[in-house]
Amino acid sequence: MSKEGLPDLAEVDARGLKVAVITSTWNAEICDHLHERAVETARANGAQVDQFRVVGALELPVAVQAAARRYDAVVALGCVVRGGTPHFDYVCDSVTQGLTRIALDESTPVGNGILTVNDHQQAVDRAGFEGSVEDKGAEAMLAALDTALQLRRINGLEH
């Protein structure tokens, strides 16, 4: 895991932003913690946050698309663990392409907090637990909030 080059976005002033957090329930221990960290981060930075759950990673894009039409930013969270078949590659590629397309089509920031890992321990190491080296739920939220603020500036809504 590399955090090399990660910007120092400890906080943003997200007051007035409305954000949706949509989390899959597959790999519940990991996803629940990603979700908790994203929600805590949104609230700590002043954003209003609404929470939604879907079954798996493949269900995320359609829910994210609906939310992207109503919110300033959306954060998608999930965990896909590599198995013994090519299914992992198809799921990861499909979800990533879907989330990217939605962000572009809707002009809404989508924080991608989908962990794509080889095993459970890699997921734990990235999910923001005590002792984890990364906190992808919080990082995805900060990235989405910051991008929403930048879009407001670009669109002349804030100076």
Side-chain angles (χ1 to χ4, degrees):
M1 274 168 277
S2 174
K3 290 189 80 153
E4 195 171 315
L6 181 68
D8 183 19
L9 263 184
E11 60 183 58
V12 295
D13 183 358
R15 290 175 293 180
L17 292 181
K18 189 172 179 184
V19 62
V21 177
I22 305 177
T23 306
S24 75
T25 57
W26 207 275
N27 296 307
E29 172 197 11
I30 300 299
C31 290
D32 288 350
H33 200 71
L34 290 167
H35 187 91
E36 178 182 307
R37 294 295 301 134
V39 170
E40 287 173 4
T41 300
R43 289 180 177 153
N45 286 278
Q48 178 185 337
V49 60
D50 291 334
Q51 305 171 53
F52 305 94
R53 299 291 184 132
V54 296
V55 173
L58 286 173
E59 289 73 39
L60 284 165
V62 71
V64 168
Q65 185 173 42
R69 294 177 179 139
R70 297 186 50 226
Y71 291 86
D72 297 305
V74 183
V75 174
L77 302 168
C79 178
V80 184
V81 180
R82 184 180 299 279
T85 69
H87 183 69
F88 173 86
D89 298 314
Y90 299 131
V91 170
C92 296
D93 186 51
S94 176
V95 172
T96 300
Q97 285 190 39
L99 296 179
T100 301
R101 193 190 90 217
I102 292 160
L104 295 172
D105 290 352
E106 302 298 333
S107 297
T108 301
V110 176
N112 184 341
I114 313 297
L115 301 183
T116 55
V117 297
N118 291 317
D119 57 47
H120 181 77
Q121 187 57 52
Q122 284 183 344
V124 169
D125 290 343
R126 293 182 169 133
F129 290 98
E130 187 174 328
S132 294
V133 294
E134 294 180 291
D135 188 350
K136 292 299 184 185
E139 291 171 18
M141 179 57 72
L142 285 169
L145 293 174
D146 183 68
T147 305
L149 292 169
Q150 297 310 316
L151 286 175
R152 281 188 170 188
R153 287 185 56 222
I154 290 166
N155 292 323
L157 301 175
E158 301 214 359
H159 303 287

